[in-house]
Amino acid sequence: MSREAFYQLTAEDANVLMSMLERQGDRPGPFAAVLREKFNRSSVFSRQDIPANVVTIDTELVYTINGVRVGPHVLVHKPAGGLPRLALSVCSMRGLALLGLAIGEKTEIPGNDGEFEVLTVESVLFQPEAETRLKEKDRGAAELIDPKVVDFRPRPKKAVISDDDDPGPSAA
């Protein structure tokens, strides 16, 4: 398997790979080889520091297989069987291979027919870490409003409607 890029993982994604690696044990095979390479050749980032163009778990992406466009798919951390067509499991060879790649990066994996497949990330449509950063930034900007500023606009008075015809003590 050849590599043209290093992998970038969140700490959470690295933990997922570690647990997958522990379940694999010393079993041989192409999936185990890709898993070990992914784990050994990765840089780990916090959720706040992972670049927005990198495929992480729960990222929606479009990619190519040997130049043929595929997707959009969402990379999920669930077993490969029984998933909707939109989902691509990180437990599958292709899902595992795409995890940690940035837009424009590619990797080569063994295909089902014995031929190698070249996977290239074409676009990242949604990355949960980038979305979280954006929401936090928006929330932080909203909190920059000076709490000492007083709003002098008159507030509308609420109309009080009562069924009681007694004018009360103020009528005396």
Side-chain angles (χ1 to χ4, degrees):
M1 173 174 42
S2 70
R3 292 243 333 108
E4 292 186 17
F6 72 101
Y7 302 107
Q8 301 174 79
L9 302 173
T10 65
E12 292 85 358
D13 294 348
N15 286 336
V16 168
L17 291 185
M18 185 178 292
S19 67
M20 289 171 63
L21 200 58
E22 287 173 359
R23 285 192 301 267
Q24 282 289 319
D26 291 332
R27 283 185 243 161
F31 185 82
V34 171
L35 182 57
R36 283 188 195 91
E37 179 187 8
K38 179 77 59 169
F39 192 75
N40 291 329
R41 300 185 85 185
S42 294
S43 295
V44 179
F45 294 82
S46 70
R47 291 181 62 88
Q48 294 80 17
D49 295 331
I50 192 85
N53 67 339
V54 173
V55 177
T56 62
I57 293 177
D58 295 327
T59 293
E60 184 177 1
L61 72 147
V62 175
Y63 59 100
T64 62
I65 302 171
N66 296 331
V68 177
R69 190 171 195 230
V70 182
H73 286 143
V74 176
L75 188 64
V76 297
H77 178 222
K78 293 183 179 174
L83 293 175
R85 288 185 344 175
L86 176 68
L88 176 65
S89 175
V90 74
C91 300
S92 70
M93 183 68 86
R94 288 178 181 163
L96 177 62
L98 290 165
L99 181 65
L101 291 180
I103 294 172
E105 292 181 335
K106 55 182 144 186
T107 191
E108 193 174 89
I109 59 169
N112 295 336
D113 56 2
E115 298 289 320
F116 279 90
E117 295 179 341
V118 177
L119 304 176
T120 306
V121 178
E122 191 173 287
S123 63
V124 171
L125 306 175
F126 171 84
Q127 184 205 61
E129 293 80 10
E131 184 71 17
T132 299
R133 285 192 301 266
L134 186 61
K135 286 180 182 176
E136 287 174 356
K137 182 180 174 185
D138 288 346
R139 192 174 336 126
E143 291 172 359
L144 290 178
I145 298 172
D146 189 355
K148 296 176 189 170
V149 175
V150 179
D151 187 6
F152 289 103
R153 289 179 283 170
R155 296 183 185 168
K157 293 184 179 183
K158 294 181 181 178
V160 178
I161 301 173
S162 173
D163 291 335
D164 187 12
D165 61 349
D166 181 17
S170 63

